[in-house]
Amino acid sequence: MSVPCGTIGCMLIQVCLNGPRGAADSAAVPLSPGAMAESAAAAVAAGAGEVHVHPKSPCGEDTLSPRAVAAALTAIRAAVSVPVGVTTGAWAEPDPERRVERVRSWTVLPDHASVNWHEPGAEAVAAALLERGVGVEAGIWSGTDGVGRFLASPLAPRVLRVLAEVTDPDPATAQDTGRELLAALGAAHGRPVLLHGEDGAAWPVLRLALRLGLDTRIGLEDVLVLPDGRRASSNAQLVLGALAHTSSDHRPS
């Protein structure tokens, strides 16, 4: 669902359930399909409008294997009715050709998948997803050449959205980095932009996204603590923290 409408419109809060994190990062990180489904259900009940997840191997590592992707998607979709997306990060499959093969071998398809445009093989992975009817979130990270590569890509006008990620770890400068990233993207080929940050940048950039009326995301992939610095006990708790920001940042005039 979208957050309440204010003077700058309605926007989406996507929950990012786990990312490449594991049990050593937090016991709250969902690793099994069942845990992912339970966490997704609670986060959607709290107000998240989409789910982004990293399917895991039995060892808890990110994987693009058809079996793991199918298991994660099937479990989550049994628990929620919102769109569900997955990663195609190069760390899950470093070889670009193998990454494309994995996408083409998926037996259960996500609604969308993120493709980090600075990674080798990004265009081929995005093309394979589009061929299969899967929406593409173009991951554009600050501090990389992703912006230039995306803006020059013939596939750019066809992506579902731009996933603008601020990797600047300094909360004091993260918003400035976010503004610079958005300025570099310009019109972004007319595609919607979801702006978010990671770790120290997560909450400052979420506040910036809300002020600008942009879609955003929050979850244990991006940050392990609440705005007040306490450790988050769940993805749902992080979503509620984000929604608390919307109630203060979006007041009808």
Side-chain angles (χ1 to χ4, degrees):
M1 68 182 67
S2 297
V3 300
C5 292
T7 56
I8 59 175
C10 297
M11 62 221 66
L12 170 80
I13 293 182
Q14 182 186 85
V15 62
C16 46
L17 295 180
N18 50 12
R21 299 192 196 270
D25 298 297
S26 169
V29 175
L31 301 178
S32 70
M36 294 174 197
E38 183 178 353
S39 185
V44 170
E50 282 191 7
V51 175
H52 173 77
V53 67
H54 291 209
K56 300 287 185 178
S57 70
C59 297
E61 301 295 328
D62 284 7
T63 179
L64 306 183
S65 79
R67 181 177 298 180
V69 171
L73 290 174
T74 301
I76 293 170
R77 283 177 171 152
V80 303
S81 58
V82 302
V84 183
V86 301
T87 185
T88 64
W91 58 88
E93 179 49 70
D95 181 75
E97 292 185 3
R98 180 65 172 157
R99 212 177 315 139
V100 171
E101 290 174 5
R102 287 293 204 184
V103 168
R104 289 178 173 158
S105 68
W106 287 347
T107 57
V108 177
L109 296 177
D111 295 287
H112 49 74
S114 60
V115 179
N116 299 319
W117 230 260
H118 64 280
E119 294 177 346
E123 294 259 349
V125 173
L129 289 165
L130 291 170
E131 287 168 6
R132 302 208 66 192
V134 177
V136 172
E137 292 184 311
I140 311 298
W141 295 17
S142 64
T144 73
D145 65 352
V147 171
R149 293 175 62 179
F150 173 75
L151 293 178
S153 171
L155 297 180
R158 298 175 58 194
V159 304
L160 173 68
R161 65 170 66 98
V162 172
L163 200 63
E165 179 166 336
V166 176
T167 59
D168 179 354
D170 188 347
T173 59
Q175 290 193 356
D176 289 338
T177 302
R179 292 187 185 94
E180 292 169 2
L181 180 58
L182 293 173
L185 280 165
H189 288 281
R191 307 318 301 148
V193 174
L194 186 157
L195 178 66
H196 73 107
E198 61 179 29
D199 294 321
W203 291 110
V205 173
L206 181 139
R207 289 191 289 271
L208 174 63
L210 294 177
R211 284 199 297 272
L212 296 177
L214 297 175
D215 291 344
T216 191
R217 80 177 198 184
I218 201 70
L220 292 166
E221 172 175 355
D222 285 351
V223 67
L224 298 174
V225 298
L226 299 167
D228 61 9
R230 290 179 295 128
R231 296 278 288 188
S233 63
S234 67
N235 280 300
Q237 192 178 33
L238 290 169
V239 171
L240 289 172
L243 288 172
H245 280 59
T246 70
S247 63
S248 60
D249 287 356
H250 296 281
R251 295 183 180 132
S253 58

